[in-house]
Short mmCIF file of all heavy atoms in Angstrom, two decimals:
data_model
loop_
_atom_site.label_atom_id
_atom_site.label_comp_id
_atom_site.label_asym_id
_atom_site.label_seq_id
_atom_site.Cartn_x
_atom_site.Cartn_y
_atom_site.Cartn_z
N VAL A 32 12.01 -19.09 -4.57
CA VAL A 32 12.82 -19.76 -3.56
C VAL A 32 12.08 -21.02 -3.13
O VAL A 32 10.86 -21.07 -3.11
CB VAL A 32 13.09 -18.86 -2.34
CG1 VAL A 32 14.06 -17.76 -2.66
CG2 VAL A 32 11.79 -18.27 -1.79
N LEU A 36 8.23 -25.92 4.68
CA LEU A 36 7.20 -25.36 5.54
C LEU A 36 7.64 -25.34 7.00
O LEU A 36 7.40 -24.35 7.71
CB LEU A 36 5.91 -26.16 5.39
CG LEU A 36 4.72 -25.65 6.22
CD1 LEU A 36 4.33 -24.24 5.81
CD2 LEU A 36 3.53 -26.60 6.04
N MET A 50 -3.70 0.85 15.49
CA MET A 50 -3.70 1.99 14.59
C MET A 50 -4.22 3.24 15.30
O MET A 50 -5.02 3.15 16.24
CB MET A 50 -4.53 1.67 13.36
CG MET A 50 -4.02 0.45 12.61
SD MET A 50 -4.89 0.21 11.06
CE MET A 50 -4.39 1.70 10.19
N ARG A 51 -3.74 4.39 14.84
CA ARG A 51 -4.15 5.66 15.44
C ARG A 51 -5.59 6.01 15.09
O ARG A 51 -6.31 6.58 15.91
CB ARG A 51 -3.23 6.79 14.97
CG ARG A 51 -1.78 6.62 15.40
CD ARG A 51 -0.94 7.78 14.92
NE ARG A 51 0.47 7.55 15.19
CZ ARG A 51 1.06 7.80 16.35
NH1 ARG A 51 0.36 8.31 17.34
NH2 ARG A 51 2.36 7.56 16.51
N GLY A 56 -11.39 0.31 7.47
CA GLY A 56 -12.35 -0.31 8.35
C GLY A 56 -11.75 -1.06 9.52
O GLY A 56 -12.49 -1.73 10.27
N ASP A 66 11.51 -14.23 9.79
CA ASP A 66 12.92 -13.93 10.08
C ASP A 66 13.79 -14.86 9.24
O ASP A 66 14.21 -15.93 9.68
CB ASP A 66 13.19 -14.14 11.58
CG ASP A 66 14.61 -13.79 11.97
OD1 ASP A 66 15.37 -13.29 11.11
OD2 ASP A 66 14.98 -14.04 13.14
N GLY A 72 10.91 -10.81 5.99
CA GLY A 72 9.83 -10.71 5.02
C GLY A 72 8.51 -10.54 5.72
O GLY A 72 8.35 -10.87 6.90
N HIS A 87 -0.11 -14.21 -3.42
CA HIS A 87 0.84 -13.22 -3.95
C HIS A 87 1.60 -12.55 -2.81
O HIS A 87 2.81 -12.32 -2.90
CB HIS A 87 0.10 -12.16 -4.77
CG HIS A 87 -0.52 -12.67 -6.03
ND1 HIS A 87 0.17 -12.78 -7.21
CD2 HIS A 87 -1.78 -13.12 -6.29
CE1 HIS A 87 -0.63 -13.26 -8.15
NE2 HIS A 87 -1.82 -13.47 -7.62
N ARG A 105 18.86 4.69 -5.94
CA ARG A 105 18.80 5.88 -5.08
C ARG A 105 18.66 5.43 -3.64
O ARG A 105 18.16 4.34 -3.36
CB ARG A 105 17.63 6.79 -5.50
CG ARG A 105 16.27 6.12 -5.46
CD ARG A 105 15.16 7.02 -5.99
NE ARG A 105 15.28 7.30 -7.41
CZ ARG A 105 14.90 6.45 -8.37
NH1 ARG A 105 14.36 5.27 -8.05
NH2 ARG A 105 15.04 6.76 -9.63
N GLU A 141 -15.55 7.46 1.42
CA GLU A 141 -15.72 6.55 2.56
C GLU A 141 -17.21 6.24 2.76
O GLU A 141 -18.04 7.14 2.77
CB GLU A 141 -15.16 7.20 3.83
CG GLU A 141 -15.24 6.35 5.07
CD GLU A 141 -14.12 5.33 5.16
OE1 GLU A 141 -13.29 5.26 4.22
OE2 GLU A 141 -14.06 4.63 6.18
N ALA A 155 -8.94 21.20 3.85
CA ALA A 155 -8.14 21.32 5.07
C ALA A 155 -6.70 20.88 4.80
O ALA A 155 -5.75 21.46 5.35
CB ALA A 155 -8.76 20.48 6.19
N ARG A 220 -3.44 -4.32 -9.08
CA ARG A 220 -3.02 -5.34 -8.11
C ARG A 220 -4.05 -6.45 -7.91
O ARG A 220 -3.70 -7.53 -7.42
CB ARG A 220 -2.67 -4.70 -6.77
CG ARG A 220 -3.81 -4.01 -6.04
CD ARG A 220 -3.29 -3.41 -4.74
NE ARG A 220 -4.23 -2.53 -4.10
CZ ARG A 220 -5.17 -2.92 -3.24
NH1 ARG A 220 -5.28 -4.21 -2.93
NH2 ARG A 220 -5.99 -2.05 -2.69
N CYS A 231 -5.60 -0.60 -22.03
CA CYS A 231 -6.91 -0.03 -22.38
C CYS A 231 -6.92 1.49 -22.34
O CYS A 231 -7.96 2.11 -22.60
CB CYS A 231 -7.98 -0.58 -21.45
SG CYS A 231 -8.35 -2.32 -21.69
N VAL A 241 4.18 -3.66 -3.67
CA VAL A 241 5.04 -4.84 -3.72
C VAL A 241 4.30 -6.11 -3.33
O VAL A 241 4.30 -7.10 -4.06
CB VAL A 241 6.27 -4.64 -2.81
CG1 VAL A 241 7.02 -5.96 -2.60
CG2 VAL A 241 7.20 -3.59 -3.40
N ALA A 249 8.81 -9.07 -8.95
CA ALA A 249 7.59 -9.14 -9.75
C ALA A 249 7.06 -7.75 -10.04
O ALA A 249 6.60 -7.46 -11.15
CB ALA A 249 6.54 -9.97 -9.02
N ALA A 252 9.18 -6.16 -12.68
CA ALA A 252 8.91 -6.72 -14.00
C ALA A 252 7.68 -6.08 -14.61
O ALA A 252 7.65 -5.78 -15.82
CB ALA A 252 8.73 -8.24 -13.88
N VAL A 263 4.99 4.01 -6.28
CA VAL A 263 5.07 2.83 -5.41
C VAL A 263 4.36 3.18 -4.10
O VAL A 263 4.61 4.23 -3.50
CB VAL A 263 6.52 2.42 -5.14
CG1 VAL A 263 6.57 1.18 -4.24
CG2 VAL A 263 7.25 2.16 -6.44
N ASP A 285 13.02 5.83 -13.04
CA ASP A 285 12.44 7.16 -12.88
C ASP A 285 11.43 7.13 -11.75
O ASP A 285 10.69 6.15 -11.57
CB ASP A 285 11.75 7.62 -14.16
CG ASP A 285 12.72 7.70 -15.33
OD1 ASP A 285 13.68 8.49 -15.25
OD2 ASP A 285 12.52 6.97 -16.31
N PRO A 287 8.92 10.03 -10.77
CA PRO A 287 8.46 11.42 -10.91
C PRO A 287 7.50 11.88 -9.83
O PRO A 287 7.29 13.08 -9.69
CB PRO A 287 7.78 11.41 -12.29
CG PRO A 287 7.31 10.00 -12.46
CD PRO A 287 8.35 9.15 -11.80
N CYS A 290 6.00 8.81 -3.33
CA CYS A 290 5.47 7.46 -3.14
C CYS A 290 4.61 7.37 -1.88
O CYS A 290 4.82 8.12 -0.92
CB CYS A 290 6.61 6.45 -3.05
SG CYS A 290 7.45 6.18 -4.63
N VAL A 299 0.10 3.16 16.00
CA VAL A 299 0.52 3.60 17.33
C VAL A 299 1.88 2.99 17.66
O VAL A 299 2.77 3.65 18.20
CB VAL A 299 -0.52 3.18 18.40
CG1 VAL A 299 -0.05 3.56 19.80
CG2 VAL A 299 -1.87 3.82 18.11
N PRO A 308 10.30 10.94 8.41
CA PRO A 308 10.76 11.50 7.13
C PRO A 308 11.63 12.73 7.37
O PRO A 308 11.42 13.49 8.32
CB PRO A 308 9.45 11.88 6.44
CG PRO A 308 8.38 11.10 7.12
CD PRO A 308 8.84 10.94 8.54
N PRO A 331 -2.36 -13.00 19.79
CA PRO A 331 -2.71 -14.14 20.64
C PRO A 331 -2.45 -15.46 19.92
O PRO A 331 -2.44 -15.51 18.68
CB PRO A 331 -4.21 -13.93 20.91
CG PRO A 331 -4.46 -12.49 20.65
CD PRO A 331 -3.50 -12.09 19.58
N PRO A 332 -2.25 -16.54 20.68
CA PRO A 332 -1.94 -17.85 20.07
C PRO A 332 -2.95 -18.29 19.01
O PRO A 332 -2.56 -18.86 17.98
CB PRO A 332 -1.93 -18.80 21.27
CG PRO A 332 -1.59 -17.94 22.43
CD PRO A 332 -2.21 -16.60 22.15
N ARG A 335 -2.13 -16.51 15.82
CA ARG A 335 -0.93 -17.08 15.20
C ARG A 335 -1.31 -18.37 14.45
O ARG A 335 -0.87 -18.57 13.31
CB ARG A 335 0.12 -17.37 16.27
CG ARG A 335 1.34 -18.12 15.72
CD ARG A 335 2.36 -18.45 16.81
NE ARG A 335 3.35 -19.37 16.31
CZ ARG A 335 4.41 -19.04 15.57
NH1 ARG A 335 4.62 -17.78 15.26
NH2 ARG A 335 5.26 -19.96 15.14
N GLU A 340 -2.39 -21.58 9.43
CA GLU A 340 -3.31 -22.29 8.54
C GLU A 340 -3.44 -21.55 7.21
O GLU A 340 -3.59 -22.17 6.14
CB GLU A 340 -4.68 -22.46 9.21
CG GLU A 340 -4.66 -23.34 10.44
CD GLU A 340 -4.05 -24.71 10.16
OE1 GLU A 340 -4.33 -25.29 9.09
OE2 GLU A 340 -3.28 -25.20 11.01
N ILE A 342 -1.07 -19.80 5.76
CA ILE A 342 0.14 -20.12 5.01
C ILE A 342 0.02 -21.51 4.38
O ILE A 342 0.39 -21.71 3.22
CB ILE A 342 1.38 -20.03 5.92
CG1 ILE A 342 1.66 -18.55 6.25
CG2 ILE A 342 2.60 -20.67 5.27
CD1 ILE A 342 2.74 -18.35 7.30
N CYS A 345 -2.11 -21.13 1.33
CA CYS A 345 -1.55 -20.33 0.23
C CYS A 345 -0.33 -20.97 -0.42
O CYS A 345 -0.12 -20.81 -1.63
CB CYS A 345 -1.16 -18.94 0.75
SG CYS A 345 -2.55 -17.88 1.20
#
Side-chain angles (χ1 to χ4, degrees):
V32 288
L36 181 62
M50 302 187 64
R51 297 181 187 277
D66 182 6
H87 293 275
R105 58 185 66 80
E141 181 81 358
R220 64 181 169 88
C231 290
V241 167
V263 181
D285 299 299
C290 289
V299 177
R335 174 182 169 81
E340 295 305 319
I342 288 172
C345 291

